[in-house]
Amino acid sequence: MSFEINLQGKTALVCGASQGIGRATALTCAAAGARVVALARNTQALEDLLKELEHTSKTVSTKNGSDSAPPAHRVVAADLSQPENLVANLAAVCAGNTPEQLAVDILINNSGGPAAGPVSQATPQALKAAFENHVVSASTLAQAVLPHMQKQGYGRIINILSTSVKAPIPGLGVSNTTRAAMANWAKTLSLEVAADGITVNNVLPGYIETQRLMSLVEGAATRSQQSTEAVVQQWKDKVPAKRFGQPREMAEVITFLASPAASYVNGVSLPVDGGRTGCH
């Protein structure tokens, strides 16, 4: 018996789509048949992604022998740190939408992590900015897409967080605090909307080979006066799988959670980390 994830007829809004896990998720959703609305700040990176999304969808249509036109993907240049402008920007780009209701079936909340450092030295401004960039923006988008999801009786909200939700990571004080707040926001929302056919889940990336991870590696190398190669090996040694994960491996888990196949998975925080995170 074969199994295939199918997102045909669904629209997926992917935040932070210009690089790393967000970019991989946009492409994987497109490969599963979804229409992708990719949101990020980098306009050029979004335009490059749009070309790849279109190519991916054409390839899938050809492979399946479909006569219908591939989905019309869209890109939106917007800043998650300005949640008051998010919905209006999306409505302006996505034809047929209004600020009161965005016709989105799958919402992928994804934003870059705050700067490293101990929480004991975090400024009020840093904490406020992180909360707005993550919790406020995610809640703003969720409120905009929920009416459509409730009307359709189908919706998926997936938040890309961190394994710090399970076990705080030393040196990432503001990130640990904000990710935990996001996880509790998501769990609360999952209880409120489950009866409408909507699921809300978190994926918790471990050591995934992205620009964010390598910047953390470089910071750790500087602080410990070691080479980046030495730190990379030390971190890999902490993972039972003995390697870093790839963005595609995260994206495939996210795409499964976005699909009808995951209809009874709700309110969970799922580590995708090669087994590194302990029991909690």
Side-chain angles (χ1 to χ4, degrees), residues 8-237:
Q8 290 183 359
K10 308 297 185 189
T11 295
L13 170 57
V14 183
C15 300
S18 62
Q19 61 182 347
I21 296 169
R23 187 176 191 279
T25 299
L27 290 167
T28 306
C29 285
R35 172 179 181 261
V36 174
V37 179
L39 184 148
R41 291 176 297 178
N42 189 321
T43 302
Q44 184 57 57
L46 285 173
E47 292 299 330
D48 293 341
L49 172 62
L50 180 59
K51 294 176 184 177
E52 195 164 351
L53 288 169
E54 291 170 344
H55 175 74
T56 298
S57 292
K58 288 178 182 177
T59 301
V60 171
S61 295
T62 301
K63 180 180 177 182
N64 294 338
S66 174
D67 294 329
S68 59
H73 305 297
R74 295 286 184 270
V75 295
V76 180
D79 193 337
L80 291 175
S81 68
Q82 300 172 359
E84 66 278 3
N85 298 325
L86 274 178
V87 178
N89 288 343
L90 283 163
V93 170
C94 304
N97 289 268
T98 68
E100 291 74 33
Q101 179 174 323
L102 293 177
V104 168
D105 307 291
I106 300 159
L107 169 62
I108 313 293
N109 285 312
N110 174 41
S111 180
V119 74
S120 58
Q121 298 176 17
T123 65
Q125 291 76 17
L127 288 164
K128 289 178 181 178
F131 193 84
E132 188 162 84
N133 199 43
H134 293 79
V135 182
V136 177
S137 66
S139 185
T140 299
L141 289 173
Q143 289 176 18
V145 301
L146 279 171
H148 172 77
M149 292 180 177
Q150 290 166 329
K151 181 179 179 180
Q152 299 297 313
Y154 182 97
R156 300 288 184 266
I157 298 175
I158 303 163
N159 310 297
I160 302 174
L161 304 182
S162 165
T163 56
S164 65
V165 168
K166 299 284 188 180
I169 300 171
L172 294 180
V174 175
S175 180
N176 293 341
T177 303
T178 309
R179 304 299 194 186
M182 274 289 295
N184 278 284
W185 167 79
K187 182 63 177 180
T188 304
L189 182 61
S190 75
L191 302 176
E192 295 176 358
V193 300
D196 297 320
I198 301 167
T199 66
V200 185
N201 293 295
N202 306 316
V203 290
L204 314 181
Y207 293 148
I208 307 298
E209 201 165 332
T210 61
Q211 291 182 5
R212 166 71 170 174
L213 178 67
M214 296 317 298
S215 70
L216 293 174
V217 165
E218 290 167 3
T222 299
R223 290 190 299 274
S224 62
Q225 297 184 332
Q226 299 180 81
S227 67
T228 55
E229 291 78 10
V231 172
V232 165
Q233 191 57 55
Q234 289 169 15
W235 288 16
K236 286 182 178 179
D237 287 341

